[in-house]
Amino acid sequence: MKAFLILEDGHVFSGTSIGSAREVISEIVFNTSMTGYLEVMTDPSYAGQAVCMTYPLIGNYGICYEDQESNRPWIDGYIVRELSRIPSNFRSVDTIQHFLEKHDIPGICGIDTRALTKILREKGTMNGMITVNENFDLDDIIPRLQKYRTGKVVEKVTCREKKVLPGKGPKVALMDFGAKRNIARSLNERGCQVTIYPALTTAEEILADQPDGIMLSNGPGDPKECTSIIQEVKKLYDSQVPIFAICLGHQLMALATGADTHKMKYGHRGGNHPVKDLKTGRVYISSQNHGYVVDTETLDERVARPAFVNVNDQMNEGLEYIGKNIFTVQFHPEACPGPQDSSYLFERFIEMMGGTK
């Protein structure tokens, strides 16, 4: 079946439908990872977005459900150059085609993803539609695309009730703004008792449980949409509890302490982004997925200072808070972009909490 990807600037790509045949409007973003497509599809940070994979062949090692970052995929749509319909891997239990169909996610393959990526890099991230309707009307569709907004997606992806992962080490309160599964696992494997809280949990409830440390997770959407959450994060900042924040959590902490964020032209999404530790000068290869960034020019130098920077474009990648046991990073230390370069940050967090008991 034919399928079409229509961008809000009028570009139309023609390809083959994969997954569901339903029509979808979403924000179109690209990811440069060569592997990890299941982790991408099940990362809650992609809620409200359709993902274009820049690597030309996707699906060749199939689907292994153990690799999911949440219980379900969150992408709105999936865009690939070539889909491998016959995977070859001893861990594979499913195909991407069936996975997309099962979860009612539309996709398109057989388009020039390189050309699409160049458009998004030159013009910036834009909205688009995936449709199988060959009689589409651009005059009707483009205004609809221009009106689309992802909205408050954190409330959509967060857990619904508190959950505890037992451990004999420090007690960590993990705020689930759309947390990838491996964040809790990385803490739990290091002996921490991890209590996962829904995104709208009050600071008073969290602090009443007397955690040894607080983790602010990744998540989707514009951080400025999280107005009530930012107020609670400010209360957590005012406490004396050590805090480690990742991605959206990093942005929320910055907003809670008076700094600003802005939308990037096309974001950082992939497993190959070099980040530099400004204290040691060492460079790490990181996994990233974000479309917003902290504006370091708005930082109060009495509150926080830059700790990491992106080597490619000099965007901020982390902050160290002055006089506080708080540090935040824009990248994903729980991910595995080849070597586990930045996983040491979890040990740093545990040391801030007093070490393992």
Side-chain angles (χ1 to χ4, degrees):
M1 185 188 306
K2 269 191 174 183
F4 303 91
L5 171 64
I6 304 167
L7 301 182
E8 65 177 275
D9 70 346
H11 274 94
V12 178
F13 292 85
S14 177
T16 303
S17 173
I18 57 175
S20 170
R22 70 180 177 88
E23 189 173 274
V24 67
I25 292 176
S26 187
E27 184 179 56
I28 311 298
V29 300
F30 64 87
N31 185 296
T32 59
S33 299
M34 296 173 67
T35 61
Y37 47 79
L38 180 60
E39 290 90 332
V40 168
M41 290 190 284
T42 56
D43 181 349
S45 293
Y46 283 108
Q49 297 174 330
V51 181
C52 167
M53 303 299 293
T54 62
Y55 192 70
L57 178 63
I58 296 295
N60 54 319
Y61 60 86
I63 295 287
C64 175
Y65 287 98
E66 293 177 7
D67 296 339
Q68 291 190 134
E69 286 291 358
S70 60
N71 293 326
R72 50 158 284 190
W74 289 101
I75 56 171
D76 284 344
Y78 205 51
I79 304 161
V80 298
R81 175 70 183 92
E82 181 181 350
L83 185 70
S84 176
R85 296 180 182 271
I86 306 176
S88 177
N89 186 292
F90 74 98
R91 296 178 70 236
S92 176
V93 294
D94 206 348
T95 65
I96 285 187
Q97 175 71 7
H98 181 255
F99 182 78
L100 294 173
E101 288 175 353
K102 182 170 70 171
H103 293 284
D104 195 29
I105 297 172
I108 184 171
C109 73
I111 73 165
D112 188 343
T113 51
R114 185 176 180 180
L116 171 59
T117 302
K118 288 176 72 174
I119 291 170
L120 297 178
R121 282 177 61 93
E122 291 167 7
K123 296 189 175 183
T125 298
M126 63 181 79
N127 298 331
M129 171 188 284
I130 298 173
T131 180
V132 296
N133 178 13
E134 297 187 37
N135 299 313
F136 60 83
D137 181 0
L138 283 180
D139 292 336
D140 170 64
I141 291 172
I142 289 178
R144 291 166 58 196
L145 298 181
Q146 293 171 340
K147 289 180 182 177
Y148 174 80
R149 298 291 182 272
T150 57
K152 291 191 173 185
V153 276
V154 168
E155 287 91 334
K156 177 181 176 182
V157 302
T158 188
C159 61
R160 298 295 171 236
E161 57 186 23
K162 189 163 68 171
K163 177 183 178 182
V164 179
L165 304 180
K168 296 182 179 179
K171 296 195 305 180
V172 177
L174 171 57
M175 295 300 299
D176 179 12
F177 304 136
K180 292 168 66 178
R181 184 176 288 167
N182 208 31
I183 294 177
R185 185 189 298 130
S186 295
L187 291 165
N188 201 222
E189 286 176 347
R190 288 167 171 82
C192 297
Q193 174 181 300
V194 183
T195 304
I196 305 170
Y197 294 84
L200 298 181
T201 305
T202 64
E204 287 80 6
E205 180 179 343
I206 295 163
L207 296 173
D209 288 341
Q210 298 183 320
D212 296 309
I214 300 168
M215 169 73 77
L216 307 181
S217 83
N218 64 291
D222 183 347
K224 290 180 183 176
E225 294 276 355
C226 305
T227 50
S228 63
I229 296 174
I230 291 169
Q231 293 174 8
E232 301 306 313
V233 170
K234 179 62 168 66
K235 296 174 188 175
L236 297 177
Y237 169 86
D238 289 335
S239 75
Q240 297 305 312
V241 181
I243 298 175
F244 178 23
I246 293 173
C247 201
L248 178 65
H250 156 77
Q251 298 163 7
L252 294 175
M253 180 59 75
L255 289 169
T257 53
D260 197 10
T261 59
H262 65 261
K263 189 170 186 177
M264 303 167 73
K265 187 175 181 181
Y266 49 82
H268 292 160
R269 298 177 181 89
N272 56 353
H273 289 266
V275 297
K276 183 177 181 179
D277 185 331
L278 295 177
K279 186 176 290 185
T280 65
R282 185 172 180 179
V283 174
Y284 302 92
I285 299 302
S286 71
S287 173
Q288 301 197 17
N289 170 22
H290 63 104
Y292 293 83
V293 68
V294 174
D295 187 345
T296 53
E297 292 184 0
T298 65
L299 284 177
D300 184 339
E301 60 183 17
R302 298 166 297 178
V303 174
R305 55 176 167 258
F308 291 91
V309 68
N310 191 293
V311 177
N312 290 336
D313 58 16
Q314 305 304 306
M315 292 287 188
N316 178 255
E317 295 287 357
L319 296 172
E320 184 176 357
Y321 284 79
I322 297 163
K324 293 277 188 176
N325 277 331
I326 299 175
F327 71 99
T328 67
V329 294
Q330 183 63 76
F331 52 95
H332 286 268
E334 85 290 345
C336 305
Q340 295 180 337
D341 271 18
S342 53
S343 62
Y344 76 93
L345 293 172
F346 287 102
E347 277 80 31
R348 177 180 169 185
F349 181 44
I350 290 171
E351 287 175 9
M352 286 168 52
M353 293 186 289
T356 54
K357 298 176 182 176

